Amino acid sequence: MKEYTLEETLHISNRITFVANIFINAAVTLVIGTILFKLLWSWTIPEIFPVAVEQGLILGDITWLAAMKITGLVAILTSAGSIIAGKWGS
């Protein structure tokens, strides 16, 4: 078994912490975004499009899975926009 120096151990520890933080932030963002989309949809869409909701053209309340899908789509588009802006901005 290889013996690691203190510097190597700290480097490995920092990488593990970085990856763990990415997953934790992604999970928290997914949960908060899903809740926000569900609540905001239920609050705004029936007020903006009352006739369409009455006729069944638009749902007045979306499912948790649909809210999660919308959150994922917004996250992907935001990330892509940030990457493109970063490449073009520099």
Side-chain angles (χ1 to χ4, degrees), residues 12-87:
I12 292 169
S13 176
N14 285 341
R15 283 187 173 190
I16 292 171
T17 303
F18 179 75
V19 171
N21 282 334
I22 289 173
F23 283 113
I24 291 170
N25 286 334
V28 168
T29 302
L30 182 67
V31 169
I32 291 173
T34 301
I35 292 169
L36 283 175
F37 268 112
K38 182 149 175 69
L39 292 176
L40 288 174
W41 186 282
S42 300
W43 180 41
T44 58
I45 296 301
E47 290 183 16
I48 296 172
F49 305 108
V51 177
V53 171
E54 286 175 10
Q55 292 178 355
L57 300 174
I58 301 175
L59 293 175
D61 191 23
I62 58 174
T63 64
W64 287 103
L65 182 61
M68 191 177 293
K69 288 178 183 178
I70 294 171
T71 303
L73 177 65
V74 169
I76 290 170
L77 292 176
T78 303
S79 299
S82 297
I83 291 168
I84 291 170
K87 286 184 180 178

